[in-house]
Amino acid sequence: MMVYSKHGAWQKMAIGLLWLALISYGFKLIFDFKTTPGAQGNAPANWPSSSQIQPKAGLATLVLFAHPQCPCTRASLSELNQIMHQGQHVQAYVMFMQPSNGQITESWTRAGLIPHTERLTDRQGVEATRFGAMTSGHVVLYNAQGQLQFAGGITDSRGHEGNNMGRQMVLNYLSNIGLVPAWHATFGCALQRVLP
């Protein structure tokens, strides 16, 4: 015959509630991490003449800054691919922080498949600093006259692919819909974190 223990039932319920609370807290930490934007500096209002990137005459210039080992960058590159397949009159550059070992990463390979896009390396983060980029996935868009039109990210959270406000702002400008300079939060790893 089983003896029902009220004390044992309460103990199991307390353990179950504690377990549920820990799982909920874990999901909250993940959610907070994915939706907390990275640091962002101020992009210059006009194209800096000291940049190693030379804009092409008559075209808008888009630069995406990327950490070669940031997993969130894959989503930013996917969004850039969408932009470059829809956008016209724009030349894009993906500026990768330079790892000391010179290793080719998946992100470097992916960036090479995007139309009208060149890959460059940013030794010591000079270009990132020049354009106020502090987080991988940060994009700046300048019009053909060298005036800033957009600064920020083109995803809605870390590693998120799909329609989002940042990508739409860039496409609006390229379609002559949104001609007021715009800003969007950037989600990704810090560009200046230590590279192996």
Side-chain angles (χ1 to χ4, degrees):
M1 177 173 138
M2 268 179 98
V3 178
Y4 177 74
S5 168
K6 198 182 229 186
H7 178 71
W10 279 109
Q11 200 172 34
K12 287 180 183 177
M13 187 184 298
I15 290 170
L17 288 172
L18 178 61
W19 182 247
L20 184 62
L22 289 172
I23 290 172
S24 298
Y25 182 68
F27 278 118
K28 181 188 179 317
L29 289 177
I30 292 169
F31 178 79
D32 287 349
F33 175 76
K34 286 183 71 73
T35 58
T36 300
Q40 186 164 322
N42 293 320
N46 295 297
W47 185 268
S49 59
S50 55
S51 174
Q52 74 176 34
I53 303 168
Q54 297 303 311
K56 296 189 176 176
L59 295 178
T61 305
L62 184 153
V63 185
L64 185 150
F65 292 88
H67 191 292
Q69 296 159 340
C70 174
C72 314
T73 299
R74 289 191 292 271
S76 295
L77 290 172
S78 178
E79 297 305 307
L80 177 61
N81 190 43
Q82 293 288 327
I83 289 168
M84 297 309 291
H85 272 94
Q86 295 177 53
Q88 298 177 351
H89 309 294
V90 60
Q91 172 65 40
Y93 299 88
V94 179
M95 182 68 69
F96 284 93
M97 296 296 290
Q98 176 65 52
S100 58
N101 63 11
Q103 181 183 8
I104 301 296
T105 64
E106 179 191 352
S107 291
W108 175 270
T109 304
R110 277 181 173 219
L113 301 175
I114 301 172
H116 310 291
T117 302
E118 293 181 30
R119 298 169 296 183
L120 301 169
T121 54
D122 189 9
R123 287 165 174 65
Q124 286 89 42
V126 172
E127 293 290 334
T129 301
R130 185 172 283 139
F131 285 94
M134 301 170 74
T135 301
S136 188
H138 181 86
V139 168
V140 290
L141 175 68
Y142 287 81
N143 65 17
Q145 292 74 44
Q147 298 162 327
L148 181 67
Q149 299 302 308
F150 175 82
I154 51 176
T155 65
D156 269 345
S157 62
R158 292 176 190 256
H160 172 77
E161 294 181 32
N163 193 26
N164 66 83
M165 188 64 71
R167 181 178 85 187
Q168 197 56 54
M169 287 175 180
V170 171
L171 287 172
N172 285 349
Y173 168 76
L174 295 175
S175 300
N176 293 317
I177 296 171
L179 298 178
V180 177
W183 173 90
H184 190 259
T186 306
F187 300 92
C189 304
L191 279 172
Q192 298 290 355
R193 74 179 195 185
V194 176
L195 289 162

PDB file of all heavy atoms in Angstrom, residues 114-130:
ATOM      1  N   ILE A 114      28.218  37.795 -53.550  1.00  0.00           N
ATOM      2  CA  ILE A 114      27.195  38.845 -53.646  1.00  0.00           C
ATOM      3  C   ILE A 114      27.508  39.742 -54.848  1.00  0.00           C
ATOM      4  O   ILE A 114      28.640  40.220 -54.988  1.00  0.00           O
ATOM      5  CB  ILE A 114      27.146  39.669 -52.342  1.00  0.00           C
ATOM      6  CG1 ILE A 114      26.835  38.754 -51.157  1.00  0.00           C
ATOM      7  CG2 ILE A 114      26.116  40.789 -52.447  1.00  0.00           C
ATOM      8  CD1 ILE A 114      26.950  39.421 -49.803  1.00  0.00           C
ATOM      9  N   PRO A 115      26.520  39.980 -55.714  1.00  0.00           N
ATOM     10  CA  PRO A 115      26.791  40.799 -56.911  1.00  0.00           C
ATOM     11  C   PRO A 115      27.154  42.245 -56.563  1.00  0.00           C
ATOM     12  O   PRO A 115      26.684  42.794 -55.577  1.00  0.00           O
ATOM     13  CB  PRO A 115      25.470  40.739 -57.694  1.00  0.00           C
ATOM     14  CG  PRO A 115      24.428  40.329 -56.714  1.00  0.00           C
ATOM     15  CD  PRO A 115      25.125  39.524 -55.657  1.00  0.00           C
ATOM     16  N   HIS A 116      28.024  42.825 -57.402  1.00  0.00           N
ATOM     17  CA  HIS A 116      28.440  44.234 -57.279  1.00  0.00           C
ATOM     18  C   HIS A 116      29.020  44.527 -55.892  1.00  0.00           C
ATOM     19  O   HIS A 116      28.789  45.607 -55.331  1.00  0.00           O
ATOM     20  CB  HIS A 116      27.277  45.184 -57.589  1.00  0.00           C
ATOM     21  CG  HIS A 116      26.586  44.876 -58.873  1.00  0.00           C
ATOM     22  ND1 HIS A 116      27.172  45.055 -60.096  1.00  0.00           N
ATOM     23  CD2 HIS A 116      25.354  44.359 -59.119  1.00  0.00           C
ATOM     24  CE1 HIS A 116      26.331  44.681 -61.044  1.00  0.00           C
ATOM     25  NE2 HIS A 116      25.227  44.246 -60.478  1.00  0.00           N
ATOM     26  N   THR A 117      29.738  43.544 -55.365  1.00  0.00           N
ATOM     27  CA  THR A 117      30.303  43.668 -54.013  1.00  0.00           C
ATOM     28  C   THR A 117      31.765  43.260 -54.023  1.00  0.00           C
ATOM     29  O   THR A 117      32.113  42.217 -54.573  1.00  0.00           O
ATOM     30  CB  THR A 117      29.525  42.781 -53.017  1.00  0.00           C
ATOM     31  OG1 THR A 117      28.152  43.175 -53.028  1.00  0.00           O
ATOM     32  CG2 THR A 117      30.072  42.913 -51.611  1.00  0.00           C
ATOM     33  N   GLU A 118      32.611  44.087 -53.430  1.00  0.00           N
ATOM     34  CA  GLU A 118      34.034  43.773 -53.306  1.00  0.00           C
ATOM     35  C   GLU A 118      34.361  43.512 -51.840  1.00  0.00           C
ATOM     36  O   GLU A 118      33.787  44.130 -50.947  1.00  0.00           O
ATOM     37  CB  GLU A 118      34.894  44.936 -53.818  1.00  0.00           C
ATOM     38  CG  GLU A 118      34.777  45.165 -55.314  1.00  0.00           C
ATOM     39  CD  GLU A 118      35.669  46.301 -55.783  1.00  0.00           C
ATOM     40  OE1 GLU A 118      36.734  46.534 -55.164  1.00  0.00           O
ATOM     41  OE2 GLU A 118      35.289  46.959 -56.768  1.00  0.00           O
ATOM     42  N   ARG A 119      35.295  42.594 -51.607  1.00  0.00           N
ATOM     43  CA  ARG A 119      35.763  42.299 -50.252  1.00  0.00           C
ATOM     44  C   ARG A 119      37.097  42.999 -50.010  1.00  0.00           C
ATOM     45  O   ARG A 119      37.978  42.967 -50.863  1.00  0.00           O
ATOM     46  CB  ARG A 119      35.955  40.787 -50.074  1.00  0.00           C
ATOM     47  CG  ARG A 119      34.691  39.992 -50.244  1.00  0.00           C
ATOM     48  CD  ARG A 119      34.968  38.507 -50.333  1.00  0.00           C
ATOM     49  NE  ARG A 119      35.748  38.208 -51.538  1.00  0.00           N
ATOM     50  CZ  ARG A 119      36.098  36.994 -51.912  1.00  0.00           C
ATOM     51  NH1 ARG A 119      35.774  35.949 -51.177  1.00  0.00           N
ATOM     52  NH2 ARG A 119      36.798  36.798 -53.020  1.00  0.00           N
ATOM     53  N   LEU A 120      37.213  43.612 -48.839  1.00  0.00           N
ATOM     54  CA  LEU A 120      38.441  44.304 -48.456  1.00  0.00           C
ATOM     55  C   LEU A 120      38.796  43.921 -47.026  1.00  0.00           C
ATOM     56  O   LEU A 120      37.943  43.456 -46.267  1.00  0.00           O
ATOM     57  CB  LEU A 120      38.250  45.818 -48.547  1.00  0.00           C
ATOM     58  CG  LEU A 120      37.855  46.381 -49.922  1.00  0.00           C
ATOM     59  CD1 LEU A 120      37.445  47.842 -49.786  1.00  0.00           C
ATOM     60  CD2 LEU A 120      38.991  46.227 -50.912  1.00  0.00           C
ATOM     61  N   THR A 121      40.042  44.143 -46.640  1.00  0.00           N
ATOM     62  CA  THR A 121      40.441  43.897 -45.256  1.00  0.00           C
ATOM     63  C   THR A 121      40.779  45.223 -44.581  1.00  0.00           C
ATOM     64  O   THR A 121      41.286  46.144 -45.215  1.00  0.00           O
ATOM     65  CB  THR A 121      41.653  42.946 -45.174  1.00  0.00           C
ATOM     66  OG1 THR A 121      42.712  43.459 -45.981  1.00  0.00           O
ATOM     67  CG2 THR A 121      41.286  41.554 -45.653  1.00  0.00           C
ATOM     68  N   ASP A 122      40.468  45.279 -43.313  1.00  0.00           N
ATOM     69  CA  ASP A 122      40.654  46.489 -42.517  1.00  0.00           C
ATOM     70  C   ASP A 122      41.681  46.203 -41.435  1.00  0.00           C
ATOM     71  O   ASP A 122      41.347  45.718 -40.361  1.00  0.00           O
ATOM     72  CB  ASP A 122      39.310  46.909 -41.910  1.00  0.00           C
ATOM     73  CG  ASP A 122      39.359  48.268 -41.240  1.00  0.00           C
ATOM     74  OD1 ASP A 122      40.386  48.973 -41.395  1.00  0.00           O
ATOM     75  OD2 ASP A 122      38.378  48.628 -40.577  1.00  0.00           O
ATOM     76  N   ARG A 123      42.930  46.472 -41.731  1.00  0.00           N
ATOM     77  CA  ARG A 123      43.996  46.219 -40.769  1.00  0.00           C
ATOM     78  C   ARG A 123      43.909  47.216 -39.611  1.00  0.00           C
ATOM     79  O   ARG A 123      43.771  48.412 -39.832  1.00  0.00           O
ATOM     80  CB  ARG A 123      45.359  46.305 -41.453  1.00  0.00           C
ATOM     81  CG  ARG A 123      45.625  45.103 -42.354  1.00  0.00           C
ATOM     82  CD  ARG A 123      46.795  45.353 -43.290  1.00  0.00           C
ATOM     83  NE  ARG A 123      47.178  44.204 -44.077  1.00  0.00           N
ATOM     84  CZ  ARG A 123      46.427  43.620 -45.017  1.00  0.00           C
ATOM     85  NH1 ARG A 123      45.210  44.067 -45.245  1.00  0.00           N
ATOM     86  NH2 ARG A 123      46.865  42.593 -45.707  1.00  0.00           N
ATOM     87  N   GLN A 124      43.940  46.698 -38.413  1.00  0.00           N
ATOM     88  CA  GLN A 124      43.847  47.483 -37.176  1.00  0.00           C
ATOM     89  C   GLN A 124      42.540  48.270 -37.053  1.00  0.00           C
ATOM     90  O   GLN A 124      42.432  49.181 -36.241  1.00  0.00           O
ATOM     91  CB  GLN A 124      45.037  48.442 -37.018  1.00  0.00           C
ATOM     92  CG  GLN A 124      46.342  47.764 -36.638  1.00  0.00           C
ATOM     93  CD  GLN A 124      47.133  47.331 -37.852  1.00  0.00           C
ATOM     94  OE1 GLN A 124      47.231  48.049 -38.832  1.00  0.00           O
ATOM     95  NE2 GLN A 124      47.697  46.139 -37.786  1.00  0.00           N
ATOM     96  N   GLY A 125      41.552  47.987 -37.865  1.00  0.00           N
ATOM     97  CA  GLY A 125      40.251  48.637 -37.727  1.00  0.00           C
ATOM     98  C   GLY A 125      40.235  50.110 -38.076  1.00  0.00           C
ATOM     99  O   GLY A 125      39.372  50.854 -37.600  1.00  0.00           O
ATOM    100  N   VAL A 126      41.159  50.553 -38.922  1.00  0.00           N
ATOM    101  CA  VAL A 126      41.253  51.973 -39.271  1.00  0.00           C
ATOM    102  C   VAL A 126      39.986  52.453 -39.961  1.00  0.00           C
ATOM    103  O   VAL A 126      39.424  53.500 -39.613  1.00  0.00           O
ATOM    104  CB  VAL A 126      42.491  52.221 -40.172  1.00  0.00           C
ATOM    105  CG1 VAL A 126      42.508  53.649 -40.712  1.00  0.00           C
ATOM    106  CG2 VAL A 126      43.761  51.920 -39.399  1.00  0.00           C
ATOM    107  N   GLU A 127      39.500  51.680 -40.948  1.00  0.00           N
ATOM    108  CA  GLU A 127      38.295  52.094 -41.679  1.00  0.00           C
ATOM    109  C   GLU A 127      37.058  52.038 -40.782  1.00  0.00           C
ATOM    110  O   GLU A 127      36.192  52.903 -40.860  1.00  0.00           O
ATOM    111  CB  GLU A 127      38.095  51.232 -42.924  1.00  0.00           C
ATOM    112  CG  GLU A 127      39.143  51.422 -43.993  1.00  0.00           C
ATOM    113  CD  GLU A 127      39.070  52.782 -44.690  1.00  0.00           C
ATOM    114  OE1 GLU A 127      37.983  53.399 -44.730  1.00  0.00           O
ATOM    115  OE2 GLU A 127      40.117  53.226 -45.195  1.00  0.00           O
ATOM    116  N   ALA A 128      36.975  51.011 -39.949  1.00  0.00           N
ATOM    117  CA  ALA A 128      35.829  50.905 -39.028  1.00  0.00           C
ATOM    118  C   ALA A 128      35.760  52.139 -38.135  1.00  0.00           C
ATOM    119  O   ALA A 128      34.685  52.724 -37.948  1.00  0.00           O
ATOM    120  CB  ALA A 128      35.945  49.636 -38.190  1.00  0.00           C
ATOM    121  N   THR A 129      36.885  52.556 -37.605  1.00  0.00           N
ATOM    122  CA  THR A 129      36.932  53.749 -36.757  1.00  0.00           C
ATOM    123  C   THR A 129      36.532  54.987 -37.554  1.00  0.00           C
ATOM    124  O   THR A 129      35.759  55.826 -37.084  1.00  0.00           O
ATOM    125  CB  THR A 129      38.345  53.929 -36.165  1.00  0.00           C
ATOM    126  OG1 THR A 129      38.669  52.759 -35.399  1.00  0.00           O
ATOM    127  CG2 THR A 129      38.433  55.160 -35.293  1.00  0.00           C
ATOM    128  N   ARG A 130      37.024  55.084 -38.768  1.00  0.00           N
ATOM    129  CA  ARG A 130      36.741  56.233 -39.630  1.00  0.00           C
ATOM    130  C   ARG A 130      35.241  56.392 -39.888  1.00  0.00           C
ATOM    131  O   ARG A 130      34.729  57.500 -39.966  1.00  0.00           O
ATOM    132  CB  ARG A 130      37.498  56.034 -40.945  1.00  0.00           C
ATOM    133  CG  ARG A 130      37.415  57.178 -41.910  1.00  0.00           C
ATOM    134  CD  ARG A 130      38.365  56.935 -43.078  1.00  0.00           C
ATOM    135  NE  ARG A 130      39.734  57.213 -42.664  1.00  0.00           N
ATOM    136  CZ  ARG A 130      40.796  56.480 -42.990  1.00  0.00           C
ATOM    137  NH1 ARG A 130      40.660  55.402 -43.724  1.00  0.00           N
ATOM    138  NH2 ARG A 130      41.996  56.819 -42.566  1.00  0.00           N
TER     139      ARG A 130
END
